[in-house]
Amino acid sequence: MITLAVVPSTTPGNSPEALEALCRELGKLVGDTVTSAHPATYADLASELEKDRVQYAWMPPALLVLTDENTRITPLLSAIRNDQAEYRAVLFVDAASPYYALEQLRGKTAAWVDTTSAAGYLFPRVHLATRGLDPTTHFGREVFLHSHAEVVRAVADGRADVGATYA
């Protein structure tokens, strides 16, 4: 038996039913039972990988380096967006926002995906630091929403002033 895991997301198409259907089709292709798992967080996913309760996972690249040193993880697939395997991380505001510079976001609310999300947390924070802005003190409040789609919604509906995602 093989277990495939993804962290639950509010992104359309990322439902438990969709993963179960994928596992059924994969099981037919590999001639084995493929079950699905939905750890609540990336940390929980890393733990399940470390305990060998999950053999395959769709996960952010940061988990490759953040899992236990004895856990052997080999990347097999990569997302392709616009015929590109690489992508960019962005900090964005609503189009109607009065903010147009990072310095103007001091004290504002930032929406992040997860502390192990490359585009939704790590890369934007490194960028802030390279600009001389301490990401731990620059924002007045930080929220973690566990999906890129939810970060976009939070900025669009005013729950956050700035969000981080991929582009």
Side-chain angles (χ1 to χ4, degrees):
M1 183 167 69
I2 299 168
T3 301
L4 171 64
V6 297
V7 174
S9 169
T10 57
T11 302
N14 286 356
S15 68
E17 297 79 20
L19 181 59
E20 288 172 17
L22 174 64
C23 288
R24 280 192 302 278
E25 294 304 313
L26 284 173
K28 292 175 191 175
L29 289 172
V30 299
D32 199 352
T33 302
V34 179
T35 61
S36 62
H38 288 273
T41 66
Y42 290 134
D44 292 342
L45 173 56
S47 176
E48 293 297 294
L49 285 162
E50 290 165 1
K51 295 173 183 169
D52 198 31
R53 293 182 187 153
V54 166
Q55 292 74 43
Y56 295 91
W58 184 258
M59 60 190 211
L63 280 185
L64 288 171
V65 294
L66 296 176
T67 54
D68 180 273
E69 64 188 33
N70 296 317
T71 303
R72 298 187 58 89
I73 297 176
T74 303
L76 298 175
L77 301 170
S78 178
I80 303 295
R81 296 177 181 101
N82 299 320
D83 295 323
Q84 301 283 324
E86 63 272 346
Y87 60 93
R88 297 176 190 265
V90 296
L91 286 167
F92 69 97
V93 297
D94 186 272
S97 167
Y99 312 118
Y100 57 89
L102 291 171
E103 292 76 13
Q104 293 177 308
L105 296 168
R106 182 173 305 284
K108 303 302 179 198
T109 298
W112 308 106
V113 175
D114 185 277
T115 58
T116 59
S117 174
Y121 185 74
L122 296 170
F123 294 161
R125 291 175 72 84
V126 167
H127 177 72
L128 287 167
T130 64
R131 299 281 304 269
L133 302 172
D134 182 349
T136 61
T137 60
H138 187 68
F139 300 108
R141 184 168 160 251
E142 298 178 279
V143 295
F144 294 89
L145 302 175
H146 307 293
S147 88
H148 292 273
E150 191 57 31
V151 166
V152 172
R153 278 192 282 278
V155 172
D157 68 21
R159 289 180 287 141
D161 300 295
V162 60
T165 191
Y166 59 87

